[in-house]
Amino acid sequence: MNNCAHTQRVIERTEADSELLVCVKCRPKANSETPGDNDGLRPGRRLYDALLAAGAPEGVRLRAVECLQNCDAGCTAALRGGAGKWTYVYGNLESALAGVLLEGARAYHAAPDGLIPWRQRPDHFKRNCVARIPPAEFPDPLEESDT
Amino acid sequence: MNNCAHTQRVIERTEADSELLVCVKCRPKANSETPGDNDGLRPGRRLYDALLAAGAPEGVRLRAVECLQNCDAGCTAALRGGAGKWTYVYGNLESALAGVLLEGARAYHAAPDGLIPWRQRPDHFKRNCVARIPPAEFPDPLEESDT
């Protein structure tokens, strides 16, 4: 253990907060019936506005992002959290799914490693996970399989 | 500035290292001609072995990961780095692309924010980026557009 106040403050902030990152530049998918730019707002921005209006769960910070480069899969959002959490990226979102996304964010924040128990996982998360990124420390799968 | 030795050590380690995370459980794509599990090694594991044999560039740590949940897009790898770097996820990889991936990892490590200049970016990266995740601190795109 160390008693450095600066380090402790940084770690506490990281451990406490989860972030819901929403691409505000996402356009509709090529074959989607979702309206496009006609009202001046992209679908990604409309999703962000719906999330903002509904309010993020306690411990979750909503942040707009320029681009998550998942542009072929409709609106995209990512969930990330403290040092021990996996980061998840979900696609095919739209403003009508804001409530589902917020419920998923609440469950993600409650899960120490970010893995939402299957029964609590929103159906949209089950079918539209684009990628996940491990936390800094994670088990080496080759050590498990080679021994 | 703070003079806490612990914090400085942590920051130095974080800033210095980039990581190339490779899913070793990836199977071939459904329509791929890449051989499957017949030799006992999954394509993701073969990619990892090819990267290990070629050797990671200086400053880049190669790590095997259980699953990056991009299972529909062939072999998947992620690049992440210090506190100021974007994280990138790339799909449709195979062991024959190990050299391309390592060259991309070298360019990623050299880029302070992880954004590889377009002319240095491997063609595979240009066409197969699955998602990216921002660093902890990034500009708010709405502040830019609303003012």
Side-chain angles (χ1 to χ4, degrees):
Chain A
M1 293 295 293
N2 75 81
N3 295 311
C4 169
H6 176 81
T7 306
Q8 287 189 338
R9 185 172 58 78
V10 170
I11 290 173
E12 278 165 15
R13 193 188 69 80
T14 307
E15 294 292 349
D17 295 341
S18 297
E19 291 190 329
L20 174 55
L21 307 170
V22 180
C23 172
V24 293
K25 300 294 172 79
C26 279
R27 297 171 185 275
K29 290 178 75 170
N31 299 326
S32 168
E33 293 178 4
T34 308
D37 288 352
N38 296 340
D39 66 354
L41 288 183
R42 295 192 180 183
R45 175 62 189 270
R46 281 203 293 270
L47 171 61
Y48 175 83
D49 288 349
L51 295 165
L52 193 66
E58 190 177 336
V60 179
R61 180 184 178 196
L62 175 65
R63 297 180 78 180
V65 189
E66 175 80 23
C67 176
L68 296 171
Q69 285 193 0
N70 179 38
C71 307
D72 292 337
C75 291
T76 298
L79 280 166
R80 70 176 171 191
K85 273 194 164 79
W86 288 74
T87 295
Y88 283 83
V89 186
Y90 297 103
N92 294 316
L93 291 161
E94 55 179 312
S95 54
L97 289 167
V100 171
L101 186 51
L102 291 172
E103 188 50 43
R106 188 192 315 273
Y108 173 84
H109 182 64
D113 54 5
L115 274 65
I116 305 172
W118 189 253
R119 290 187 176 191
Q120 296 173 31
R121 202 173 298 180
D123 283 343
H124 190 84
F125 281 21
K126 291 178 183 171
R127 289 191 300 264
N128 295 278
C129 182
V130 174
R132 64 173 193 166
I133 312 285
E137 299 305 325
F138 58 91
D140 182 341
L142 301 183
E143 279 190 9
E144 294 167 11
S145 62
D146 286 352
T147 54
Chain B
M1 293 294 293
N2 75 79
N3 295 312
C4 168
H6 176 82
T7 306
Q8 287 189 339
R9 185 173 58 78
V10 170
I11 289 174
E12 278 166 15
R13 193 188 68 80
T14 307
E15 294 292 348
D17 295 342
S18 297
E19 291 190 330
L20 174 56
L21 308 170
V22 180
C23 171
V24 293
K25 300 294 173 76
C26 279
R27 297 172 185 274
K29 289 176 75 169
N31 299 325
S32 168
E33 293 178 7
T34 308
D37 289 351
N38 295 340
D39 66 354
L41 288 182
R42 294 190 181 184
R45 174 62 189 271
R46 282 204 292 270
L47 170 61
Y48 175 84
D49 288 349
L51 294 166
L52 192 66
E58 191 178 335
V60 178
R61 179 183 179 195
L62 175 65
R63 297 180 78 180
V65 189
E66 174 79 24
C67 175
L68 296 171
Q69 285 192 359
N70 178 39
C71 308
D72 293 336
C75 291
T76 298
L79 280 166
R80 69 176 172 191
K85 275 195 163 78
W86 288 74
T87 294
Y88 283 84
V89 186
Y90 297 103
N92 294 316
L93 291 161
E94 55 179 314
S95 55
L97 289 167
V100 170
L101 186 51
L102 291 171
E103 188 50 44
R106 188 192 314 274
Y108 173 84
H109 182 63
D113 54 5
L115 274 65
I116 305 172
W118 188 254
R119 290 187 176 191
Q120 295 173 31
R121 202 172 299 180
D123 283 343
H124 190 84
F125 281 21
K126 291 178 183 171
R127 290 191 299 265
N128 295 279
C129 183
V130 174
R132 65 173 192 167
I133 311 285
E137 299 304 325
F138 58 90
D140 181 341
L142 300 183
E143 279 190 7
E144 293 168 10
S145 63
D146 287 350
T147 55

